[in-house]
Amino acid sequence: MKILRFLAVLPLFALSHAAHADKLRLPADAPPAFQAECASCHLAFPPQLLAADDWKRIMVSLDKHYGDNASLDAKTRVILEDFLLKYAGDARKVGVGGTAPRLTATPWFKRKHHEVPRTDWTHAKVKTPANCTACHTMAAEGSYREREIVMPNGRRWED
Ligand code: HEC
Ligand code: HEC
């Protein structure tokens, strides 16, 4: 009986666990090129925060990458695209990121950040919502826990 009851709550537990998105570590099989090529100008963004179609759109236009040139040799480009598509998020959960896709423009991102005041986004230390590490002090390690958040004016999000 006890075991049966345990099994019954298991799916629920898995669900609530997945909904808690404070851990977004890079998958262990991330190719070294991902850090080398996609984390030199900004954080290596978690692949699960954009849907596959959005990643494809980004990876076919790396020469015109948000005002920068992030071109890769063909082989590396394929390796990185395969990796991003393998771990891409579910479009029904994250939504889509626009014509020049941004994970910071998805409904998921906006929902998670709806309590963040406008003045924090425009703060000189932040500049762009894509600057995750400006607030998430452990973002480079893939951790987004509330108690690690320090807002640009120095206040902790959670005390
Ligand atoms: C030469 C510098 C450079 C390199 C290399 C680079 N990026 Fe970017 N990336 C940028 C800039 C600049 C932005 C725009 C930042 C802003 O204004 O918000 C950006 C934005 C992004 C965004 C959208 C961020 C958002 O607002 O949601 C994604 C996704 C992204 N880059 C993925 C990648 C991937 C994947 C790679 C590796 C294939 C890569 N970038 C390599 C400079 C670079
Ligand atoms: C201006 C500061 C700021 C920036 C920049 C920022 N965030 Fe956040 N983020 C927050 C705050 C504050 C919260 C908590 C909001 C709340 O609890 O209502 C949050 C919440 C989150 C959560 C949810 C954590 C949980 O426990 O469910 C994730 C994931 C996240 N952010 C990822 C990112 C990523 C990825 C980036 C960069 C692309 C980013 N954030 C940029 C301030 C920021």
Side-chain angles (χ1 to χ4, degrees):
M1 257 331 252
K2 256 197 190 133
I3 287 181
L4 268 179
R5 206 176 303 146
F6 174 72
L7 284 177
V9 298
L10 209 58
L12 241 177
F13 173 77
L15 207 84
S16 65
H17 207 67
H20 201 74
D22 61 2
K23 282 273 186 293
L24 295 168
R25 287 220 183 84
L26 283 188
D29 64 346
F34 188 56
Q35 282 287 351
E37 305 292 349
C38 303
S40 48
C41 302
H42 48 66
L43 185 81
F45 296 120
Q48 53 278 48
L49 295 188
L50 270 180
D53 282 349
D54 279 346
W55 281 124
K56 279 188 208 155
R57 218 166 283 147
I58 288 170
M59 294 306 284
V60 296
S61 55
L62 286 174
D63 56 326
K64 293 187 202 73
H65 185 77
Y66 313 89
D68 257 316
N69 186 343
S71 302
L72 297 169
D73 62 85
K75 197 177 148 212
T76 311
R77 201 198 68 80
V78 169
I79 291 172
L80 294 184
E81 182 167 320
D82 285 350
F83 161 70
L84 290 166
L85 297 187
K86 179 175 175 192
Y87 291 104
D90 181 345
R92 287 166 304 182
K93 283 190 195 136
V94 291
V96 293
T99 38
R102 287 179 173 270
L103 57 94
T104 56
T106 61
W108 180 90
F109 188 91
K110 290 182 178 160
R111 198 163 63 237
K112 284 284 176 188
H113 292 89
H114 76 280
E115 283 179 29
V116 178
R118 184 180 298 269
T119 48
D120 284 320
W121 294 122
T122 53
H123 194 284
K125 283 188 196 158
V126 180
K127 294 194 188 80
T128 158
N131 189 5
C132 320
T133 45
C135 306
H136 296 280
T137 58
M138 302 294 283
E141 284 76 40
S143 182
Y144 293 86
R145 283 185 294 195
E146 286 201 28
R147 71 174 114 106
E148 294 157 357
I149 300 173
V150 180
M151 300 309 278
N153 61 7
R155 79 180 191 281
R156 290 196 163 266
W157 187 257
E158 193 192 76
D159 17 56

